[in-house]
Amino acid sequence: GAPEPSVGAQQVMHQNDDFGYKARPQMLAEKKERPNVWKQIGAAEPSKAAQRVMGQNDNFGYKARPTMLADAKHAPVNVWNQIGAPEPSVGAQQVMHQNDDFGYKARPQMLAEKKERPNVWKQIGAAEPSKAAQRVMGQNDNFGYKARPTMLADAKHAPVNVWNQ
């Protein structure tokens, strides 16, 4: 009493007509949603999150829309302000501005206008070593190769003898 195999085969082939190239056309609204593992476990679908991130990134870099200078409403983010530290460029600008008063950038000064530089030796009440050194060098100029020529007849006293001193 087994059914004829051709009848069973006909039933299976009729069931398969709903799939593959013989399937009837389906409208998109009719299409059944495929089971989604991410929904089943209650997590956000990674492809959608990735699409959101890529959409956000399109606002930056070479894909960003051109911004006219007049459209720029706020200054760019300043890291130094965010961490509460003074911006180093401001300090550098101040130092460079102070340095403009010296060197080749300094404005020309008349000699009468020039301020006297502070002298440490005067402040501590000591004789200035450079002036004492100049005096000693001036005294030494009277001897050696810098001494003025002396005629032998003009020599009134005998030369100094180190051995006699």
Side-chain angles (χ1 to χ4, degrees):
E4 192 172 329
S6 64
V7 174
Q10 279 295 341
Q11 289 173 346
V12 169
M13 286 195 297
H14 184 64
Q15 289 171 356
N16 287 342
D17 282 349
D18 290 338
F19 301 99
Y21 72 95
K22 285 187 171 182
R24 67 180 180 84
Q26 289 182 330
M27 298 302 285
L28 290 176
E30 281 181 42
K31 201 169 201 177
K32 298 173 188 169
E33 193 173 320
R34 294 172 58 190
N36 187 332
V37 176
W38 301 104
K39 285 184 182 174
Q40 290 174 357
I41 63 172
E45 192 171 343
S47 64
K48 289 184 181 174
Q51 284 296 328
R52 263 195 316 275
V53 168
M54 287 192 289
Q56 290 169 353
N57 288 343
D58 284 348
N59 295 331
F60 302 100
Y62 73 94
K63 285 188 173 182
R65 68 177 182 83
T67 305
M68 299 302 283
L69 290 177
D71 292 346
K73 292 181 174 93
H74 50 78
V77 177
N78 186 335
V79 176
W80 301 104
N81 289 343
Q82 289 178 342
I83 62 172
E87 191 171 345
S89 66
V90 173
Q93 286 294 331
Q94 290 172 345
V95 168
M96 287 192 287
H97 184 67
Q98 290 169 352
N99 289 342
D100 283 348
D101 292 337
F102 301 99
Y104 71 94
K105 283 188 170 182
R107 66 180 182 82
Q109 286 184 329
M110 300 303 286
L111 290 177
E113 211 179 299
K114 202 167 191 176
K115 300 172 191 167
E116 188 177 327
R117 297 172 76 188
N119 188 331
V120 177
W121 303 103
K122 284 182 184 174
Q123 290 174 354
I124 62 172
E128 193 171 339
S130 64
K131 289 187 180 173
Q134 286 293 335
R135 265 195 313 276
V136 169
M137 287 192 287
Q139 291 169 355
N140 289 342
D141 282 348
N142 295 331
F143 302 101
Y145 74 94
K146 284 190 173 181
R148 64 181 181 82
T150 307
M151 298 301 285
L152 290 178
D154 291 345
K156 297 178 180 135
H157 50 61
V160 177
N161 187 338
V162 178
W163 302 108
N164 291 337
Q165 290 178 353

